[in-house]
Amino acid sequence: MGRRRRVQTYMRAAPAIWFVLALLIAAACSQAPVGEPAPNPTGAPSLANVAPSPAPPVSATDSGTYPAPEAAYPAPTIVVVAPIVGGTGAPEATVVPDALIEIIIGEHRLEAEVVATPEKRSVGLMFRDILPEHRGMLFVFAGPYTGAFWMRNTRIPLSIAFISQEQRILNIEDMQPFDETTQHTPRGAAFYALEVNQGWFAARGIRPGDEVTFELPPDLTIR
């Protein structure tokens, strides 16, 4: 009789036990497998699965055989990729010219980058490795220039023509790369100075007294 009562009690408790087991099995099945990310119901990317962006590579500085620019003036931070007319190659980045103009001396023509502020004139053609044959730089001054030119951080051999307010050549000087000793000065009241590749004037028979024809932009700021 006692045994029959225990069996009846077990039979009455069985549905509840099976219900509890079913809940445990369902809960276990709903968990993500070990090692796999849990499902994201929002659809937004999980931070755990987003790889961090790689840091940009750091390029080594290579100053080549030239002195480091910071040994004299800091390297310029403004750059230019200027168009080339009638020349080969392209100038390296230095300063942004205030204008690009055509210059005519006799029957010879060249394109010149104009620099008309102290900041740009102080850099000039520094740090370049090449200057196309029919390319130059015209320095424009607000008044008669009383200083001197030298070749600090300048890698290209140059010739410079100092030019009067009437646009005639006062004198022409040859300048050697990295020469910080020789001071090149105008022989008269110079309002302009034109730098070109060394020998460009001589090869064309250009000499002091020759007229230099050019027009500056009317909105050019000269300081």
Side-chain angles (χ1 to χ4, degrees):
M1 185 69 178
R3 180 177 180 182
R4 182 180 301 175
R5 288 179 180 176
R6 286 194 297 269
V7 171
Q8 289 176 351
T9 301
Y10 172 78
M11 293 299 292
R12 285 195 297 268
I17 295 173
W18 284 111
F19 179 73
V20 172
L21 290 175
L23 289 178
L24 292 175
I25 293 172
C29 292
S30 64
Q31 294 179 355
V34 177
E36 295 185 9
N40 190 341
T42 64
S46 171
L47 294 178
N49 297 327
V50 178
S53 301
V58 178
S59 301
T61 300
D62 182 8
S63 59
T65 59
Y66 302 114
E70 59 271 17
Y73 297 130
T77 57
I78 48 178
V79 299
V80 59
V81 180
I84 302 299
V85 176
T88 58
E92 285 186 357
T94 52
V95 297
V96 177
D98 295 304
L100 290 172
I101 64 171
E102 184 181 56
I103 292 181
I104 302 174
I105 309 175
E107 60 183 18
H108 307 289
R109 299 172 181 265
L110 76 157
E111 188 178 49
E113 303 171 33
V114 177
V115 287
T117 64
E119 297 81 9
K120 296 179 181 182
R121 289 194 299 263
S122 67
V123 177
L125 292 174
M126 288 182 180
F127 312 113
R128 299 197 192 188
D129 286 323
I130 186 172
L131 182 66
E133 180 181 2
H134 298 290
R135 185 85 169 202
M137 178 169 282
L138 182 68
F139 297 76
V140 180
F141 307 102
Y145 180 65
T146 58
F149 279 67
W150 61 353
M151 294 287 280
R152 173 171 289 182
N153 293 326
T154 307
R155 306 167 182 174
I156 311 168
L158 299 172
S159 293
I160 184 170
F162 293 100
I163 303 169
S164 70
Q165 190 173 20
E166 294 75 29
Q167 297 186 5
R168 289 194 176 272
I169 297 176
L170 298 170
N171 58 299
I172 297 174
E173 307 284 335
D174 287 340
M175 305 189 293
Q176 307 305 322
F178 303 113
D179 181 3
E180 299 185 22
T181 303
T182 308
Q183 306 291 300
H184 304 277
T185 59
R187 298 175 187 171
F191 282 73
Y192 313 96
L194 176 61
E195 287 184 345
V196 295
N197 284 300
Q198 190 174 105
W200 191 90
F201 297 119
R204 291 158 179 78
I206 297 172
R207 61 194 67 185
D210 286 352
E211 184 177 8
V212 183
T213 303
F214 58 85
E215 291 187 8
L216 296 175
D219 58 346
L220 179 66
T221 299
I222 305 173
R223 292 192 286 111

